[in-house]
């Protein structure tokens, strides 16, 4: 079958009025009735069979209409459209031919409606309407009841309904209703409204007016004028003879559209009206839920909305909307200051519908409303399954899942949740929160396990900001050895201390440098600083120097604290010239009085290394006497004064200086350092008993101090010496 270009053919139709409107309109009733259109046109079924049968005998119009009556819609549409095109091409076309074109237009439109081609059908119907209304027949008044033109026109000859200025002829009303229905179904609501208005202005026939009013109300609703549509429906249904059940579906449509428009009162009114007038239980579930949703949107109080939602759940427990209703009911209860009841509803949702999408939201709400509240086994299993499927879950849920699975009770969930924590970019920033929650809930061992897991992947797959947050947690909790191990693991991964002979020297160094850059570039400056500090705190300062150098040279960090650490390491291990350069760089970065004091400490240490003890003591005495200096800095300066005397073998003065340290530092680290050094000074003075008192006091008070090992060794040595005597 050849392809039929329906729309161009209809658009080019000439506007010629029929000579016999009665015959054309009779055939209109035939087609509309015979094809059982969605909007009933009215008219006599007897005319249909009689008209088709009376013109049999090879007539293409009759053949096309016969195809339509047989349900062969595609063939009918093409045949009738072709007939319209043929009539158009005839130069000698008369009134009879024009009547045939109108009949063909109507038949083609009906065929297209049955094919679901509503937009194309609308074009044909409007073309037929335009032909009827364009020019009064015989150049005069209204023939056979056909109304005057009502302003329906469109460029190209295809009519569009404009708001009519005068009543149109009644016999056209069924066709206008068919056109309105097509326009409605294609979303051309203005066109549908105009056709309905034309029908209402034209006819007093109850069935046609009812159909037009019904469609006009539906149009208003689809245009978002829900309140106007509802008020019109109420007016139309006031007469006692009106069949309200016939309007129930329209009321429900208004209610549902009002919900999407956030018009809760209209939604509640329309849905309740539906429940009062709908036949049997048809649509009851939707309407009951609509009333509850409207209440939740503001038509009722939060408490009442929760009641209505729970009533819906009780009446329709098998509805797929139950999980959502429970979730919303919990929210309403929460907003009505009933948190305990809200939590109970959420727990019910998790217990009865653990596989629903709302279960995850319920867990998230529980995590937000009641952090630390125990999650049920069903909830934990739901989370695990979601993670296994790779579904996104709220960060608050992830935190609760890790906290709940800590301690080894749910190893699969722990693994899945911690993996998600590190793999999802949006969740990596929650590491610090997870570690804090674990600590707050009495699970410090699990916090350390998680931090160690993150820091332990440093050389392979560490990611920021998770690594930085784990490192910060370790520093805050004094887990310096954990940071030092991570740094050494990284250093071992770079192979920076390895030697090899397969490549030439410069080539090998270049390769190592590139590998090291690639390995370290993943880490933030703060991560590098904390790793370096970990090495310093466990006495491996020299290994911290490359990290500090990288901060300065690669990350362009000009932070005074970094320069101080570099200078301290340089003073302990670098050549004198390098140490001086590092100290001068730190001094140049000073910006506050407190930083100046630390810079003076470094300067004093440099003077001590250069054996300029008297100059160093003068500088240190000034620091100790400064009332603005902190106690810890004073203790450090006092300890260094003791060191100047010790290095000059002035042991009595050294002991006196070390004793003063405790007055500044109490139980601090410098007091421990002073005790061990005072013990050594006493040994040099030949006073082993006093030395042993110093060492024993250190071990008793600072058993975990880095100086404890030296104190034990010296005590053992003093014991052996006493035995030998």
């Amino acid at each position: 079958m050849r392809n039929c270009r329906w729309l161009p053919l209809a658009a080019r139709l000439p506007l010629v009025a029929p000579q016999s409107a009665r015959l054309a309109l009779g055939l209109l009733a035939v087609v509309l009735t015979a094809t059982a259109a969605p909007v009933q046109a009215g008219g006599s079924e007897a005319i249909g069979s009689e008209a088709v049968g009376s013109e049999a005998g090879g007539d293409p119009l009759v053949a096309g209409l016969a195809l339509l009556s047989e349900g062969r819609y595609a063939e009918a549409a093409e045949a009738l459209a072709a007939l319209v095109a043929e009539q158009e091409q005839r130069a000698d076309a008369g009134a009879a031919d024009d009547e045939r074109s109108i009949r063909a237009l109507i038949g083609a439109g009906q065929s297209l409606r049955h094919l679901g081609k509503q937009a194309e059908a609308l074009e044909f119907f409007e073309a037929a309407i335009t032909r009827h209304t364009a020019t009064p027949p015989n150049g005069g008044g209204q023939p056979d009841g056909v109304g005057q033109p009502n302003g329906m026109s469109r460029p190209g000859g295809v009519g569009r309904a404009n708001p009519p200025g005068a009543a149109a002829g009644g016999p056209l009303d069924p066709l206008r209703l068919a056109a309105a229905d097509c326009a409605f179904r294609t979303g051309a609501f203005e066109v549908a409204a105009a056709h309905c208005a034309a029908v209402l202005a034209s006819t007093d026939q109850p069935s046609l007016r009812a159909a037009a009013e019904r469609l006009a109300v539906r149009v208003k609703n689809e245009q978002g004028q829900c309140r106007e549509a509802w008020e019109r429906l109420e007016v139309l249904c006031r007469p006692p003879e009106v069949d309200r059940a016939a309007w129930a579906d329209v009321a429900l449509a208004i209610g549902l559209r009002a919900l999407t428009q956030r018009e809760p009162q209209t939604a509640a009114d329309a849905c309740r009206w539906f429940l009062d007038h709908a036949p049997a239980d048809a649509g009851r579930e939707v309407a009951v839920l609509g009333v509850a949703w409207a209440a939740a949107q503001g038509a009722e109080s939060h408490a009442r909305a929760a009641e209505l939602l729970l009533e819906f759940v009780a009446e329709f427990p098998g509805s797929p909307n139950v999980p959502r209703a429970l979730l919303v009911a919990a929210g309403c209860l929460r907003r009505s200051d009933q948190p305990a009841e809200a939590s109970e509803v959420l727990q019910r949702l998790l217990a009865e519908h653990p596989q629903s999408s709302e279960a995850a939201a319920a867990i998230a709400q529980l995590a937000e409303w009641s952090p630390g509240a125990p999650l049920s086994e069903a909830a934990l299993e739901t989370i695990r399954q979601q993670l296994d499927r790779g579904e996104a879950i709220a960060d608050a849920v992830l935190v609760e899942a890790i906290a709940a699975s800590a301690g080894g009770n749910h190893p699969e969930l722990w693994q899945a949740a911690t993996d998600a924590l590190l793999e999802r970019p949006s969740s990596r920033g929650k590491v610090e929160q997870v570690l804090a929650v674990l600590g707050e809930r009495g699970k410090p061992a699990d916090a350390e396990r998680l931090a160690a897991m993150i820091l332990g992947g440093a050389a392979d797959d560490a990611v920021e900001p998770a690594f930085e947050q784990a490192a910060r947690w370790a520093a805050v909790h004094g887990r310096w050895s954990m940071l030092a191990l991570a740094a050494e693991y990284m250093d071992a991964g770079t192979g920076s201390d390895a030697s090899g002979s397969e490549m030439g020297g410069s080539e090998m160094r270049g390769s190592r440098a590139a590998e090291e850059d690639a390995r370290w570039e993943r880490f933030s400056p703060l991560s590098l600083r904390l790793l370096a500090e970990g090495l310093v705190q466990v006495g491996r300062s020299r290994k911290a120097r490359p990290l500090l150098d990288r901060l300065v040279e690669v990350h362009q960090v000009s932070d005074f604290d970094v320069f101080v650490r570099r200078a301290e390491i340089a003073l302990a291990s670098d050549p004198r010239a390098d140490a001086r350069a590092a100290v001068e760089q730190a001094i140049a970065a000073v910006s506050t009085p407190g930083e100046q004091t630390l810079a003076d400490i470094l300067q004093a240490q440099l003077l001590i290394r250069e054996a300029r003890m008297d100059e160093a003591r003068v500088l240190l005495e000034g620091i100790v006497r400064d009332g603005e200096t902190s106690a810890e800095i004073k203790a450090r300066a006092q300890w260094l004064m003791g060191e100047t005397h010790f290095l000059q073998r002035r042991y009595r003065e050294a002991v006196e200086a070390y004793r003063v340290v405790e007055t500044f530092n109490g139980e601090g680290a410098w007091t421990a350092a002073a005790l061990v050094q005072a013990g050594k000074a006493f040994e040099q003075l030949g006073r082993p008993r006093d030395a042993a008192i110093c060492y024993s006091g250190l071990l008793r008070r600072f058993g975990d101090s880095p100086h404890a090992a030296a104190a034990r060794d010296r005590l053992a040595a003093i014991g052996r010496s006493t035995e030998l005597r």
Side-chain angles (χ1 to χ4, degrees):
M1 182 178 292
R2 61 187 175 84
N3 186 29
C4 179
R5 300 174 64 82
W6 293 312
L7 292 182
L9 289 173
R12 294 197 299 273
L13 293 175
L15 297 178
V16 180
Q19 296 299 315
S20 176
R22 177 174 298 164
L23 176 59
L25 294 176
L27 288 171
L28 162 65
V30 170
V31 175
L32 293 176
T33 304
T35 55
V39 174
Q40 294 300 322
S44 170
E45 291 82 350
I47 297 177
S49 58
E50 186 177 317
V52 173
S54 66
E55 301 190 22
D59 187 332
L61 174 60
V62 175
L65 294 177
L67 290 171
L68 172 59
S69 66
E70 294 171 6
R72 297 160 65 180
Y73 303 122
E75 298 173 68
E78 184 162 354
L80 293 169
L83 177 58
V84 172
E86 178 186 342
Q87 294 295 113
E88 175 191 0
Q89 293 169 1
R90 289 184 55 185
D92 60 343
D97 294 317
D98 196 52
E99 292 171 12
R100 293 171 62 81
S101 294
I102 293 174
R103 295 163 66 187
L105 283 169
I106 297 172
Q110 282 297 92
S111 299
L112 290 167
R113 289 184 78 191
H114 283 288
L115 292 172
K117 299 179 181 294
Q118 305 294 335
E120 293 92 330
L122 176 61
E123 298 288 344
F124 280 90
F125 287 149
E126 289 191 326
I129 293 171
T130 301
R131 280 175 171 257
H132 274 291
T133 59
T135 306
N138 301 319
Q142 300 183 10
D144 302 316
V146 179
Q148 296 296 328
N150 67 350
M152 297 177 62
S153 62
R154 182 181 184 183
V158 179
R160 284 293 189 200
N162 298 318
L172 281 179
D173 295 332
L175 182 54
R176 286 196 178 100
L177 277 177
D181 184 69
C182 289
F184 177 81
R185 292 171 185 272
T186 57
F189 300 124
E190 293 293 338
V191 175
H195 280 301
C196 290
V199 172
L200 293 171
S202 167
T203 185
D204 293 327
Q205 185 177 339
S207 62
L208 291 177
R209 290 190 65 83
E213 289 281 18
R214 179 186 179 88
L215 188 54
V217 170
R218 295 176 66 196
V219 167
K220 280 186 178 294
N221 188 49
E222 290 301 321
Q223 289 177 313
Q225 302 172 38
C226 302
R227 194 66 199 175
E228 293 88 339
W230 168 242
E231 290 173 351
R232 183 58 182 162
L233 184 148
E234 283 190 303
V235 170
L236 293 169
C237 291
R238 281 175 189 164
E241 67 273 11
V242 173
D243 181 6
R244 293 175 178 80
W247 284 86
D249 61 328
V250 179
L252 185 57
I254 292 173
L256 298 182
R257 182 59 183 263
L259 285 173
T260 66
Q261 297 281 113
R262 305 294 295 184
E263 298 180 33
Q265 193 58 58
T266 300
D269 292 344
C271 289
R272 286 198 178 97
W273 194 94
F274 174 89
L275 292 171
D276 290 339
H277 300 97
D281 293 331
R284 178 174 175 79
E285 177 182 332
V286 175
V288 170
L289 185 59
V291 171
W293 285 148
Q297 284 188 0
E300 304 264 11
S301 68
H302 295 309
R304 178 57 181 156
E307 289 178 11
L308 290 170
L309 287 163
L310 293 175
E311 286 174 7
F312 167 80
V313 172
E315 185 174 354
F316 303 99
S319 170
N321 292 302
V322 163
R324 185 67 180 169
L326 288 170
L327 186 65
V328 176
C332 292
L333 288 168
R334 177 79 177 181
R335 286 187 288 274
S336 63
D337 295 325
Q338 301 181 69
E341 292 80 356
S343 295
E344 287 179 9
V345 172
L346 291 178
Q347 293 288 5
R348 175 183 174 184
L349 169 57
L350 292 173
E352 297 177 1
H353 306 277
Q355 302 304 319
S356 66
S357 58
E358 287 79 11
I363 295 169
Q365 288 190 6
L366 282 171
E368 179 184 352
W369 297 347
S370 307
L375 294 174
S376 65
E377 290 297 321
L380 295 177
E381 180 60 20
T382 296
I383 298 172
R384 187 192 65 77
Q385 291 179 7
Q386 285 183 292
L387 291 171
D388 287 346
R389 292 192 297 265
E391 296 177 8
I393 63 174
D395 290 338
V397 176
L398 198 58
V399 172
E400 291 300 323
I402 294 173
S405 60
N409 294 328
H410 300 84
E412 293 182 357
L413 178 57
W414 168 272
Q415 188 64 52
T418 53
D419 286 347
L421 180 70
L422 301 180
E423 291 170 0
R424 284 168 34 184
S426 63
S427 301
R428 292 172 190 158
K430 296 292 182 180
V431 166
E432 200 161 18
Q433 179 184 349
V434 171
L435 293 170
V437 166
L438 289 171
E440 292 167 0
R441 298 185 188 174
K443 300 178 179 180
D446 293 290
E448 186 164 345
R449 175 162 66 118
L450 178 58
M453 180 181 75
I454 296 170
L455 297 176
D460 300 321
D461 55 3
V463 290
E464 295 290 7
F467 187 90
E468 178 183 302
Q469 293 185 18
R472 187 160 54 228
W473 179 89
V476 168
H477 291 82
R479 305 298 200 275
W480 299 111
S481 60
M482 187 184 295
L483 289 166
L485 286 172
E488 290 184 333
Y489 184 37
M490 286 287 295
D491 189 51
T494 64
S496 58
D497 294 333
S499 61
S501 59
E502 293 184 4
M503 292 187 288
S506 61
E507 182 182 356
M508 182 171 63
R509 286 192 296 273
S511 174
R512 286 176 179 169
E515 182 182 353
E516 186 171 350
D517 285 342
R519 193 173 292 273
W520 287 108
E521 69 185 3
R522 298 174 308 196
F523 298 93
S524 69
L526 179 57
S527 292
L528 295 178
R529 291 177 66 169
L530 293 173
L531 289 172
E533 189 64 22
L535 290 167
V536 170
Q537 292 294 332
V538 298
R540 299 168 193 164
S541 298
R542 290 190 65 182
K543 290 190 175 184
R545 179 64 184 271
L547 298 179
L548 297 171
D549 290 344
R550 185 174 184 83
L551 283 170
V552 174
E553 297 165 7
V554 177
H555 292 282
Q556 302 297 309
V557 172
S558 57
D559 193 289
F560 176 75
D561 292 340
V562 173
F563 290 135
V564 166
R565 274 290 184 239
R566 289 179 83 220
E568 288 173 341
I569 294 170
L571 285 168
S573 58
D574 286 6
R576 187 178 300 176
D578 293 342
R580 175 169 288 280
V583 171
E584 290 173 351
Q585 191 175 33
I587 292 172
V590 168
S591 61
T592 66
E595 292 175 354
Q596 183 59 59
T597 301
L598 285 174
D600 290 342
I601 291 281
L602 293 176
Q603 183 66 32
Q605 288 181 274
L606 181 62
L607 292 171
I608 292 171
R609 183 169 178 184
E610 293 175 346
R612 297 160 63 183
M613 304 300 180
D614 293 338
E615 296 176 59
R617 274 195 294 272
V618 171
L619 191 57
L620 292 168
E621 285 173 358
I623 294 172
V624 171
R625 290 173 183 159
D626 186 353
E628 300 297 322
T629 303
S630 68
E632 184 177 359
I633 297 299
K634 285 184 178 182
R636 181 176 177 181
Q638 185 65 37
W639 180 83
L640 285 172
M641 279 198 287
E643 290 292 279
T644 62
H645 292 299
F646 191 94
L647 291 171
Q648 289 181 312
R649 299 184 181 181
R650 298 164 59 179
Y651 299 118
R652 293 184 185 279
E653 290 86 345
V655 167
E656 293 303 319
Y658 290 139
R659 281 176 172 169
V660 177
V661 171
E662 187 170 359
T663 64
F664 297 124
N665 197 224
E667 300 298 313
W670 292 109
T671 299
L675 284 171
V676 73
Q677 290 299 94
K680 292 177 183 178
F682 277 125
E683 286 192 74
Q684 294 297 326
L685 291 171
R687 297 165 60 181
R689 186 185 180 114
D690 291 324
I693 291 173
C694 289
Y695 296 142
S696 298
L698 188 156
L699 292 174
R700 185 180 68 256
R701 296 169 58 189
F702 306 100
D704 295 331
S705 166
H707 305 290
R712 289 191 188 90
D713 291 343
R714 296 313 309 157
L715 271 177
I718 290 172
R720 287 194 298 272
S721 176
T722 302
E723 289 175 3
L724 290 174
R725 291 176 188 170

